[in-house]
Amino acid sequence: MTAAQLFSPEESARIRADFPILTRTVRGGRPLVYLDTGATSQKPTEVIDAERRYYETVNAGAHRGAHLLAEEATDAYEGARSTVARFIGARPADVVFTKNATESLNLVAYAFTNAAAPGAMAGVDPAVAERFRLGPGDEVCVTEMEHHANLVPWQELCRRSGATLRWLPITDDGRLDLTDLDTLVNERTKVLAFTHVSNVLGTVNPVATLVARAKEVGALTVLDACQSAPHLPIDVTELGVDFLAFSGHKMYGPTGVGVLWGRGELLDAMPPFLTGGSMIELVRMEGTTYAPPPQRFEAGSMNVAQVVGLAAAIDFIEGIGLDRIHAHELALTERLLDGLARRPWVRVVGPTDAVDRGSSVAFVVDDVHAHDVGQLLDAEGVEVRVGHHCAWPLHRRFRIAATTRATFGVYNTAAEVDALLAALDTVPAVFGVDVSQQVGA
Amino acid sequence: MDLYQELIIEHSKRPQHAGLRDPFDAEVHHVNPTCGDEVTLRVKVGESGELEDVSYDSIGCSISVASTSVLAEECIGHPLEEVFETYNAMRSMLTSKGADPGDEEVIGDGVAFSGVSQYPARVKCALLGWSAMLDALAQAGVDISATSHPASTSSTTA
């Protein structure tokens, strides 16, 4: 396990100097305390420059045309694919670029629907084709802590196919409740889709246990890695999952680019999601055959500049090292959990220790709505997320409408944790909260 | 900060005329999907064209709860023309980005919400109950075309 360890003040200052936005002020000249990296991260100069440089010196149709610029654009695009592949321990051919993780997850969900079309799986090994056959009597299992992006596509797939959706519940302290794992994931289960790290609770889920059970029953595993890819080292072989999705913009990269990794033999068998230019092998008026992956899943002109920016973001992350980033963020998380524990009028929703934990810390203040808490924090320049964070069922599970959520990135500091706590201390006076009172459940 | 006037805090802690009551002509349920604020609201129109009762159950932030409370206080028992005038004045103030300070003669305690117009993310909170009331009135068969409610000027939104 990684031990919590803050960056030195010098290193922190160096990292922060790399993010132009951190020099701006907010709300009456206050310094910006950005604690919403879980929603989207800020961008370092390297990423902004990589996108600009691409447009200024290379821009052309990647995988289109034979002129020099088109060759260079293709090289930049495919070079970025290799960078992403190396980052997650994968083969470049198994890395698909999308517009975001939501599209990546829909791409997998729609493979089941499209596989049901007549002839869609012709020529595919019957054993592999069978894994994409979904209908009444079959089951898809998710968890109660999923972001809507890894819940709604599976709900919709079940609605279209007649399969049944099941879910693993959450314990009171914010961990997955695995008591009934063997009944919830059973011989009828075709897909087990779950998040690596909860975007609300911060919980790091036991991937090995879940994957082992899925393998026993022959279910495909889909991992939402949005909240882990920028924070924990990821290796697809070690994780053992079949599909993995994440977004570029949460990992210091541009908006508009996401990644889907899938096992080669599965991607090979899957029908396309979006169709059109560049995903084809042969087109006749009567019909079309498809290109092999990853091109099969990259229809139309792609987000080349953003893909190039994502590669720059990965270089940035690797320049610091994910082990060290994780250790730093863990130290910030511990400091915040400590501070909140000393305020009995605040209740953390999620694990209250830093074991198997990412850096999302969600909390409620008794009788004060998260929007109001967030507004007072914003008045002090502290920018957090409020609401249900696209995890409405999770909030229902804890019988709360909304939480206030702080999430950390590589640029955050211990002083910023203290700024959050100080801003939080302005809440009781405004809303008449009894600070000696323990929050009711 | 200027947003949280004492009046808003008071109304949010003790919402006036809260709770769902019978009889009613129409009931609506409105949500603010970005934050999970919810209001269930009923209207009862009287014999002589007055808004006889507005009853509601609201879960949400102080701004949305207090605004619905002020709505009940300012609208219950008033002729519908006055209710529409109050709605229009409230909506105009809230969406003015600070240009319209609000007329106390028309919106009463509603002026406490003038600061909300500086915070675009919160305007929806403050309008939640008011939009629900207009929607409920329309469902009760009342002609709301005299209001600035989006549904009264567009044929596609409900």
Side-chain angles (χ1 to χ4, degrees), chain A residues 55-90:
Chain A
Y55 281 129
E56 284 178 351
T57 64
V58 180
N59 183 50
H63 285 297
R64 286 154 178 80
H67 54 73
L68 176 69
L69 287 190
E71 280 172 16
E72 289 184 9
T74 305
D75 283 350
Y77 186 66
E78 293 305 324
R81 195 190 306 279
S82 300
T83 302
V84 171
R86 193 191 64 229
F87 183 65
I88 58 173

PDB file of all heavy atoms in Angstrom, chain A residues 55-90:
ATOM      1  N   TYR A  55      -2.233  22.235 -33.970  1.00  0.00           N
ATOM      2  CA  TYR A  55      -2.975  23.069 -34.925  1.00  0.00           C
ATOM      3  C   TYR A  55      -2.044  23.989 -35.720  1.00  0.00           C
ATOM      4  O   TYR A  55      -2.284  24.270 -36.888  1.00  0.00           O
ATOM      5  CB  TYR A  55      -4.022  23.916 -34.191  1.00  0.00           C
ATOM      6  CG  TYR A  55      -5.277  23.164 -33.827  1.00  0.00           C
ATOM      7  CD1 TYR A  55      -5.771  23.191 -32.524  1.00  0.00           C
ATOM      8  CD2 TYR A  55      -5.979  22.422 -34.778  1.00  0.00           C
ATOM      9  CE1 TYR A  55      -6.922  22.513 -32.171  1.00  0.00           C
ATOM     10  CE2 TYR A  55      -7.135  21.736 -34.440  1.00  0.00           C
ATOM     11  CZ  TYR A  55      -7.607  21.788 -33.139  1.00  0.00           C
ATOM     12  OH  TYR A  55      -8.750  21.113 -32.814  1.00  0.00           O
ATOM     13  N   GLU A  56      -0.985  24.452 -35.050  1.00  0.00           N
ATOM     14  CA  GLU A  56      -0.106  25.426 -35.720  1.00  0.00           C
ATOM     15  C   GLU A  56       0.848  24.779 -36.716  1.00  0.00           C
ATOM     16  O   GLU A  56       1.288  25.412 -37.671  1.00  0.00           O
ATOM     17  CB  GLU A  56       0.701  26.201 -34.664  1.00  0.00           C
ATOM     18  CG  GLU A  56      -0.140  27.243 -33.951  1.00  0.00           C
ATOM     19  CD  GLU A  56       0.629  27.994 -32.865  1.00  0.00           C
ATOM     20  OE1 GLU A  56       1.776  27.597 -32.545  1.00  0.00           O
ATOM     21  OE2 GLU A  56       0.076  28.975 -32.338  1.00  0.00           O
ATOM     22  N   THR A  57       1.177  23.488 -36.493  1.00  0.00           N
ATOM     23  CA  THR A  57       2.248  22.911 -37.321  1.00  0.00           C
ATOM     24  C   THR A  57       1.894  21.618 -38.050  1.00  0.00           C
ATOM     25  O   THR A  57       2.590  21.234 -38.977  1.00  0.00           O
ATOM     26  CB  THR A  57       3.508  22.631 -36.458  1.00  0.00           C
ATOM     27  OG1 THR A  57       3.174  21.636 -35.487  1.00  0.00           O
ATOM     28  CG2 THR A  57       3.998  23.885 -35.765  1.00  0.00           C
ATOM     29  N   VAL A  58       0.844  20.922 -37.620  1.00  0.00           N
ATOM     30  CA  VAL A  58       0.603  19.591 -38.180  1.00  0.00           C
ATOM     31  C   VAL A  58      -0.766  19.456 -38.838  1.00  0.00           C
ATOM     32  O   VAL A  58      -0.910  18.733 -39.824  1.00  0.00           O
ATOM     33  CB  VAL A  58       0.731  18.509 -37.056  1.00  0.00           C
ATOM     34  CG1 VAL A  58       0.481  17.118 -37.623  1.00  0.00           C
ATOM     35  CG2 VAL A  58       2.105  18.580 -36.401  1.00  0.00           C
ATOM     36  N   ASN A  59      -1.736  20.142 -38.311  1.00  0.00           N
ATOM     37  CA  ASN A  59      -3.149  19.890 -38.593  1.00  0.00           C
ATOM     38  C   ASN A  59      -3.467  19.442 -40.024  1.00  0.00           C
ATOM     39  O   ASN A  59      -3.199  20.158 -40.993  1.00  0.00           O
ATOM     40  CB  ASN A  59      -3.954  21.148 -38.275  1.00  0.00           C
ATOM     41  CG  ASN A  59      -5.440  20.911 -38.479  1.00  0.00           C
ATOM     42  OD1 ASN A  59      -5.972  19.926 -37.961  1.00  0.00           O
ATOM     43  ND2 ASN A  59      -6.081  21.764 -39.241  1.00  0.00           N
ATOM     44  N   ALA A  60      -4.051  18.268 -40.138  1.00  0.00           N
ATOM     45  CA  ALA A  60      -4.533  17.712 -41.408  1.00  0.00           C
ATOM     46  C   ALA A  60      -5.408  16.511 -41.069  1.00  0.00           C
ATOM     47  O   ALA A  60      -5.550  16.159 -39.903  1.00  0.00           O
ATOM     48  CB  ALA A  60      -3.360  17.290 -42.289  1.00  0.00           C
ATOM     49  N   GLY A  61      -5.979  15.885 -42.075  1.00  0.00           N
ATOM     50  CA  GLY A  61      -6.847  14.734 -41.824  1.00  0.00           C
ATOM     51  C   GLY A  61      -6.035  13.498 -41.498  1.00  0.00           C
ATOM     52  O   GLY A  61      -5.346  12.945 -42.354  1.00  0.00           O
ATOM     53  N   ALA A  62      -6.089  13.065 -40.261  1.00  0.00           N
ATOM     54  CA  ALA A  62      -5.377  11.843 -39.873  1.00  0.00           C
ATOM     55  C   ALA A  62      -6.067  10.652 -40.543  1.00  0.00           C
ATOM     56  O   ALA A  62      -7.284  10.600 -40.599  1.00  0.00           O
ATOM     57  CB  ALA A  62      -5.387  11.676 -38.365  1.00  0.00           C
ATOM     58  N   HIS A  63      -5.260   9.715 -41.019  1.00  0.00           N
ATOM     59  CA  HIS A  63      -5.773   8.537 -41.746  1.00  0.00           C
ATOM     60  C   HIS A  63      -6.541   8.925 -43.003  1.00  0.00           C
ATOM     61  O   HIS A  63      -7.421   8.208 -43.450  1.00  0.00           O
ATOM     62  CB  HIS A  63      -6.676   7.680 -40.840  1.00  0.00           C
ATOM     63  CG  HIS A  63      -5.887   6.892 -39.847  1.00  0.00           C
ATOM     64  ND1 HIS A  63      -4.978   5.930 -40.205  1.00  0.00           N
ATOM     65  CD2 HIS A  63      -5.864   6.944 -38.493  1.00  0.00           C
ATOM     66  CE1 HIS A  63      -4.426   5.415 -39.109  1.00  0.00           C
ATOM     67  NE2 HIS A  63      -4.934   6.020 -38.068  1.00  0.00           N
ATOM     68  N   ARG A  64      -6.228  10.088 -43.566  1.00  0.00           N
ATOM     69  CA  ARG A  64      -6.884  10.520 -44.805  1.00  0.00           C
ATOM     70  C   ARG A  64      -5.837  11.229 -45.643  1.00  0.00           C
ATOM     71  O   ARG A  64      -5.171  12.127 -45.150  1.00  0.00           O
ATOM     72  CB  ARG A  64      -8.006  11.522 -44.503  1.00  0.00           C
ATOM     73  CG  ARG A  64      -9.235  10.904 -43.899  1.00  0.00           C
ATOM     74  CD  ARG A  64      -9.973  11.963 -43.080  1.00  0.00           C
ATOM     75  NE  ARG A  64     -11.192  11.417 -42.515  1.00  0.00           N
ATOM     76  CZ  ARG A  64     -11.237  10.668 -41.419  1.00  0.00           C
ATOM     77  NH1 ARG A  64     -10.116  10.359 -40.782  1.00  0.00           N
ATOM     78  NH2 ARG A  64     -12.386  10.212 -40.964  1.00  0.00           N
ATOM     79  N   GLY A  65      -5.739  10.879 -46.926  1.00  0.00           N
ATOM     80  CA  GLY A  65      -4.846  11.592 -47.811  1.00  0.00           C
ATOM     81  C   GLY A  65      -3.410  11.098 -47.697  1.00  0.00           C
ATOM     82  O   GLY A  65      -3.065  10.378 -46.756  1.00  0.00           O
ATOM     83  N   ALA A  66      -2.590  11.495 -48.655  1.00  0.00           N
ATOM     84  CA  ALA A  66      -1.225  10.974 -48.720  1.00  0.00           C
ATOM     85  C   ALA A  66      -0.184  12.081 -48.671  1.00  0.00           C
ATOM     86  O   ALA A  66       0.979  11.849 -48.896  1.00  0.00           O
ATOM     87  CB  ALA A  66      -1.065  10.154 -50.000  1.00  0.00           C
ATOM     88  N   HIS A  67      -0.629  13.300 -48.396  1.00  0.00           N
ATOM     89  CA  HIS A  67       0.368  14.380 -48.354  1.00  0.00           C
ATOM     90  C   HIS A  67       1.113  14.394 -47.023  1.00  0.00           C
ATOM     91  O   HIS A  67       0.744  13.682 -46.075  1.00  0.00           O
ATOM     92  CB  HIS A  67      -0.274  15.742 -48.672  1.00  0.00           C
ATOM     93  CG  HIS A  67      -1.454  16.097 -47.822  1.00  0.00           C
ATOM     94  ND1 HIS A  67      -1.344  16.456 -46.514  1.00  0.00           N
ATOM     95  CD2 HIS A  67      -2.774  16.141 -48.121  1.00  0.00           C
ATOM     96  CE1 HIS A  67      -2.531  16.731 -46.025  1.00  0.00           C
ATOM     97  NE2 HIS A  67      -3.434  16.527 -46.984  1.00  0.00           N
ATOM     98  N   LEU A  68       2.136  15.206 -46.948  1.00  0.00           N
ATOM     99  CA  LEU A  68       3.030  15.188 -45.789  1.00  0.00           C
ATOM    100  C   LEU A  68       2.295  15.492 -44.492  1.00  0.00           C
ATOM    101  O   LEU A  68       2.477  14.812 -43.475  1.00  0.00           O
ATOM    102  CB  LEU A  68       4.166  16.205 -46.006  1.00  0.00           C
ATOM    103  CG  LEU A  68       5.122  16.333 -44.808  1.00  0.00           C
ATOM    104  CD1 LEU A  68       5.957  15.076 -44.643  1.00  0.00           C
ATOM    105  CD2 LEU A  68       6.024  17.549 -44.947  1.00  0.00           C
ATOM    106  N   LEU A  69       1.444  16.535 -44.512  1.00  0.00           N
ATOM    107  CA  LEU A  69       0.758  16.904 -43.281  1.00  0.00           C
ATOM    108  C   LEU A  69      -0.153  15.760 -42.807  1.00  0.00           C
ATOM    109  O   LEU A  69      -0.239  15.477 -41.610  1.00  0.00           O
ATOM    110  CB  LEU A  69      -0.065  18.185 -43.467  1.00  0.00           C
ATOM    111  CG  LEU A  69       0.725  19.493 -43.582  1.00  0.00           C
ATOM    112  CD1 LEU A  69      -0.228  20.683 -43.508  1.00  0.00           C
ATOM    113  CD2 LEU A  69       1.779  19.620 -42.501  1.00  0.00           C
ATOM    114  N   ALA A  70      -0.826  15.119 -43.764  1.00  0.00           N
ATOM    115  CA  ALA A  70      -1.708  14.010 -43.380  1.00  0.00           C
ATOM    116  C   ALA A  70      -0.897  12.892 -42.735  1.00  0.00           C
ATOM    117  O   ALA A  70      -1.346  12.268 -41.760  1.00  0.00           O
ATOM    118  CB  ALA A  70      -2.457  13.503 -44.601  1.00  0.00           C
ATOM    119  N   GLU A  71       0.307  12.657 -43.265  1.00  0.00           N
ATOM    120  CA  GLU A  71       1.173  11.626 -42.664  1.00  0.00           C
ATOM    121  C   GLU A  71       1.566  12.015 -41.251  1.00  0.00           C
ATOM    122  O   GLU A  71       1.534  11.197 -40.329  1.00  0.00           O
ATOM    123  CB  GLU A  71       2.457  11.468 -43.492  1.00  0.00           C
ATOM    124  CG  GLU A  71       2.280  10.612 -44.729  1.00  0.00           C
ATOM    125  CD  GLU A  71       3.521  10.654 -45.614  1.00  0.00           C
ATOM    126  OE1 GLU A  71       4.605  11.085 -45.141  1.00  0.00           O
ATOM    127  OE2 GLU A  71       3.396  10.264 -46.797  1.00  0.00           O
ATOM    128  N   GLU A  72       1.913  13.284 -41.087  1.00  0.00           N
ATOM    129  CA  GLU A  72       2.345  13.735 -39.750  1.00  0.00           C
ATOM    130  C   GLU A  72       1.173  13.713 -38.765  1.00  0.00           C
ATOM    131  O   GLU A  72       1.343  13.385 -37.591  1.00  0.00           O
ATOM    132  CB  GLU A  72       2.960  15.136 -39.833  1.00  0.00           C
ATOM    133  CG  GLU A  72       4.314  15.121 -40.516  1.00  0.00           C
ATOM    134  CD  GLU A  72       5.000  16.486 -40.539  1.00  0.00           C
ATOM    135  OE1 GLU A  72       4.488  17.426 -39.860  1.00  0.00           O
ATOM    136  OE2 GLU A  72       6.018  16.609 -41.212  1.00  0.00           O
ATOM    137  N   ALA A  73      -0.013  14.087 -39.267  1.00  0.00           N
ATOM    138  CA  ALA A  73      -1.194  14.059 -38.390  1.00  0.00           C
ATOM    139  C   ALA A  73      -1.486  12.623 -37.957  1.00  0.00           C
ATOM    140  O   ALA A  73      -1.803  12.353 -36.784  1.00  0.00           O
ATOM    141  CB  ALA A  73      -2.398  14.664 -39.103  1.00  0.00           C
ATOM    142  N   THR A  74      -1.368  11.692 -38.916  1.00  0.00           N
ATOM    143  CA  THR A  74      -1.587  10.284 -38.602  1.00  0.00           C
ATOM    144  C   THR A  74      -0.556   9.798 -37.585  1.00  0.00           C
ATOM    145  O   THR A  74      -0.902   9.096 -36.618  1.00  0.00           O
ATOM    146  CB  THR A  74      -1.511   9.430 -39.893  1.00  0.00           C
ATOM    147  OG1 THR A  74      -2.445   9.965 -40.823  1.00  0.00           O
ATOM    148  CG2 THR A  74      -1.851   7.980 -39.615  1.00  0.00           C
ATOM    149  N   ASP A  75       0.696  10.198 -37.771  1.00  0.00           N
ATOM    150  CA  ASP A  75       1.742   9.805 -36.825  1.00  0.00           C
ATOM    151  C   ASP A  75       1.455  10.347 -35.427  1.00  0.00           C
ATOM    152  O   ASP A  75       1.647   9.664 -34.429  1.00  0.00           O
ATOM    153  CB  ASP A  75       3.114  10.326 -37.285  1.00  0.00           C
ATOM    154  CG  ASP A  75       3.672   9.480 -38.418  1.00  0.00           C
ATOM    155  OD1 ASP A  75       3.081   8.405 -38.693  1.00  0.00           O
ATOM    156  OD2 ASP A  75       4.665   9.898 -39.038  1.00  0.00           O
ATOM    157  N   ALA A  76       0.990  11.606 -35.381  1.00  0.00           N
ATOM    158  CA  ALA A  76       0.707  12.222 -34.078  1.00  0.00           C
ATOM    159  C   ALA A  76      -0.426  11.458 -33.391  1.00  0.00           C
ATOM    160  O   ALA A  76      -0.373  11.167 -32.188  1.00  0.00           O
ATOM    161  CB  ALA A  76       0.323  13.689 -34.259  1.00  0.00           C
ATOM    162  N   TYR A  77      -1.441  11.116 -34.182  1.00  0.00           N
ATOM    163  CA  TYR A  77      -2.616  10.416 -33.645  1.00  0.00           C
ATOM    164  C   TYR A  77      -2.239   9.019 -33.176  1.00  0.00           C
ATOM    165  O   TYR A  77      -2.557   8.622 -32.038  1.00  0.00           O
ATOM    166  CB  TYR A  77      -3.674  10.350 -34.760  1.00  0.00           C
ATOM    167  CG  TYR A  77      -5.010   9.789 -34.362  1.00  0.00           C
ATOM    168  CD1 TYR A  77      -5.828  10.455 -33.450  1.00  0.00           C
ATOM    169  CD2 TYR A  77      -5.484   8.611 -34.929  1.00  0.00           C
ATOM    170  CE1 TYR A  77      -7.075   9.945 -33.114  1.00  0.00           C
ATOM    171  CE2 TYR A  77      -6.729   8.101 -34.598  1.00  0.00           C
ATOM    172  CZ  TYR A  77      -7.529   8.772 -33.689  1.00  0.00           C
ATOM    173  OH  TYR A  77      -8.758   8.273 -33.364  1.00  0.00           O
ATOM    174  N   GLU A  78      -1.534   8.283 -34.012  1.00  0.00           N
ATOM    175  CA  GLU A  78      -1.168   6.909 -33.645  1.00  0.00           C
ATOM    176  C   GLU A  78      -0.082   6.884 -32.571  1.00  0.00           C
ATOM    177  O   GLU A  78      -0.036   5.969 -31.747  1.00  0.00           O
ATOM    178  CB  GLU A  78      -0.741   6.127 -34.887  1.00  0.00           C
ATOM    179  CG  GLU A  78      -1.895   5.877 -35.872  1.00  0.00           C
ATOM    180  CD  GLU A  78      -3.090   5.173 -35.229  1.00  0.00           C
ATOM    181  OE1 GLU A  78      -2.892   4.311 -34.344  1.00  0.00           O
ATOM    182  OE2 GLU A  78      -4.240   5.507 -35.599  1.00  0.00           O
ATOM    183  N   GLY A  79       0.758   7.916 -32.568  1.00  0.00           N
ATOM    184  CA  GLY A  79       1.758   8.022 -31.492  1.00  0.00           C
ATOM    185  C   GLY A  79       1.073   8.192 -30.151  1.00  0.00           C
ATOM    186  O   GLY A  79       1.468   7.597 -29.130  1.00  0.00           O
ATOM    187  N   ALA A  80      -0.003   8.985 -30.144  1.00  0.00           N
ATOM    188  CA  ALA A  80      -0.768   9.192 -28.912  1.00  0.00           C
ATOM    189  C   ALA A  80      -1.415   7.875 -28.469  1.00  0.00           C
ATOM    190  O   ALA A  80      -1.479   7.561 -27.278  1.00  0.00           O
ATOM    191  CB  ALA A  80      -1.826  10.255 -29.127  1.00  0.00           C
ATOM    192  N   ARG A  81      -1.850   7.085 -29.439  1.00  0.00           N
ATOM    193  CA  ARG A  81      -2.451   5.794 -29.091  1.00  0.00           C
ATOM    194  C   ARG A  81      -1.418   4.905 -28.375  1.00  0.00           C
ATOM    195  O   ARG A  81      -1.725   4.240 -27.389  1.00  0.00           O
ATOM    196  CB  ARG A  81      -2.974   5.093 -30.349  1.00  0.00           C
ATOM    197  CG  ARG A  81      -3.930   3.944 -30.027  1.00  0.00           C
ATOM    198  CD  ARG A  81      -4.267   3.097 -31.246  1.00  0.00           C
ATOM    199  NE  ARG A  81      -4.775   3.791 -32.409  1.00  0.00           N
ATOM    200  CZ  ARG A  81      -6.046   4.193 -32.575  1.00  0.00           C
ATOM    201  NH1 ARG A  81      -6.935   3.976 -31.627  1.00  0.00           N
ATOM    202  NH2 ARG A  81      -6.418   4.803 -33.677  1.00  0.00           N
ATOM    203  N   SER A  82      -0.190   4.934 -28.882  1.00  0.00           N
ATOM    204  CA  SER A  82       0.872   4.146 -28.244  1.00  0.00           C
ATOM    205  C   SER A  82       1.141   4.642 -26.823  1.00  0.00           C
ATOM    206  O   SER A  82       1.394   3.848 -25.913  1.00  0.00           O
ATOM    207  CB  SER A  82       2.162   4.222 -29.059  1.00  0.00           C
ATOM    208  OG  SER A  82       1.930   3.706 -30.344  1.00  0.00           O
ATOM    209  N   THR A  83       1.108   5.957 -26.648  1.00  0.00           N
ATOM    210  CA  THR A  83       1.335   6.524 -25.306  1.00  0.00           C
ATOM    211  C   THR A  83       0.253   6.047 -24.341  1.00  0.00           C
ATOM    212  O   THR A  83       0.550   5.633 -23.208  1.00  0.00           O
ATOM    213  CB  THR A  83       1.332   8.067 -25.375  1.00  0.00           C
ATOM    214  OG1 THR A  83       2.342   8.474 -26.284  1.00  0.00           O
ATOM    215  CG2 THR A  83       1.582   8.689 -24.013  1.00  0.00           C
ATOM    216  N   VAL A  84      -1.008   6.116 -24.779  1.00  0.00           N
ATOM    217  CA  VAL A  84      -2.115   5.670 -23.922  1.00  0.00           C
ATOM    218  C   VAL A  84      -1.961   4.182 -23.607  1.00  0.00           C
ATOM    219  O   VAL A  84      -2.128   3.750 -22.463  1.00  0.00           O
ATOM    220  CB  VAL A  84      -3.478   5.938 -24.611  1.00  0.00           C
ATOM    221  CG1 VAL A  84      -4.608   5.278 -23.823  1.00  0.00           C
ATOM    222  CG2 VAL A  84      -3.723   7.431 -24.743  1.00  0.00           C
ATOM    223  N   ALA A  85      -1.611   3.403 -24.633  1.00  0.00           N
ATOM    224  CA  ALA A  85      -1.460   1.962 -24.442  1.00  0.00           C
ATOM    225  C   ALA A  85      -0.379   1.673 -23.402  1.00  0.00           C
ATOM    226  O   ALA A  85      -0.581   0.862 -22.486  1.00  0.00           O
ATOM    227  CB  ALA A  85      -1.122   1.293 -25.779  1.00  0.00           C
ATOM    228  N   ARG A  86       0.757   2.341 -23.526  1.00  0.00           N
ATOM    229  CA  ARG A  86       1.848   2.134 -22.567  1.00  0.00           C
ATOM    230  C   ARG A  86       1.388   2.496 -21.146  1.00  0.00           C
ATOM    231  O   ARG A  86       1.691   1.802 -20.180  1.00  0.00           O
ATOM    232  CB  ARG A  86       3.048   3.005 -22.975  1.00  0.00           C
ATOM    233  CG  ARG A  86       4.345   2.658 -22.262  1.00  0.00           C
ATOM    234  CD  ARG A  86       5.398   3.720 -22.516  1.00  0.00           C
ATOM    235  NE  ARG A  86       4.985   5.008 -21.959  1.00  0.00           N
ATOM    236  CZ  ARG A  86       5.021   6.162 -22.611  1.00  0.00           C
ATOM    237  NH1 ARG A  86       5.439   6.222 -23.863  1.00  0.00           N
ATOM    238  NH2 ARG A  86       4.637   7.278 -22.010  1.00  0.00           N
ATOM    239  N   PHE A  87       0.619   3.576 -21.062  1.00  0.00           N
ATOM    240  CA  PHE A  87       0.148   4.088 -19.760  1.00  0.00           C
ATOM    241  C   PHE A  87      -0.681   3.044 -19.010  1.00  0.00           C
ATOM    242  O   PHE A  87      -0.669   2.981 -17.780  1.00  0.00           O
ATOM    243  CB  PHE A  87      -0.681   5.354 -20.021  1.00  0.00           C
ATOM    244  CG  PHE A  87      -1.192   6.052 -18.795  1.00  0.00           C
ATOM    245  CD1 PHE A  87      -0.316   6.624 -17.878  1.00  0.00           C
ATOM    246  CD2 PHE A  87      -2.558   6.169 -18.568  1.00  0.00           C
ATOM    247  CE1 PHE A  87      -0.792   7.290 -16.755  1.00  0.00           C
ATOM    248  CE2 PHE A  87      -3.042   6.834 -17.444  1.00  0.00           C
ATOM    249  CZ  PHE A  87      -2.152   7.395 -16.538  1.00  0.00           C
ATOM    250  N   ILE A  88      -1.437   2.224 -19.741  1.00  0.00           N
ATOM    251  CA  ILE A  88      -2.300   1.240 -19.072  1.00  0.00           C
ATOM    252  C   ILE A  88      -1.821  -0.199 -19.303  1.00  0.00           C
ATOM    253  O   ILE A  88      -2.523  -1.151 -19.007  1.00  0.00           O
ATOM    254  CB  ILE A  88      -3.781   1.380 -19.528  1.00  0.00           C
ATOM    255  CG1 ILE A  88      -3.909   1.205 -21.043  1.00  0.00           C
ATOM    256  CG2 ILE A  88      -4.367   2.715 -19.082  1.00  0.00           C
ATOM    257  CD1 ILE A  88      -5.367   1.153 -21.536  1.00  0.00           C
ATOM    258  N   GLY A  89      -0.620  -0.352 -19.847  1.00  0.00           N
ATOM    259  CA  GLY A  89      -0.052  -1.687 -20.043  1.00  0.00           C
ATOM    260  C   GLY A  89      -0.770  -2.488 -21.102  1.00  0.00           C
ATOM    261  O   GLY A  89      -0.981  -3.697 -20.939  1.00  0.00           O
ATOM    262  N   ALA A  90      -1.165  -1.829 -22.196  1.00  0.00           N
ATOM    263  CA  ALA A  90      -1.970  -2.508 -23.219  1.00  0.00           C
ATOM    264  C   ALA A  90      -1.276  -2.479 -24.573  1.00  0.00           C
ATOM    265  O   ALA A  90      -0.238  -1.839 -24.751  1.00  0.00           O
ATOM    266  CB  ALA A  90      -3.325  -1.819 -23.323  1.00  0.00           C
TER     267      ALA A  90
END
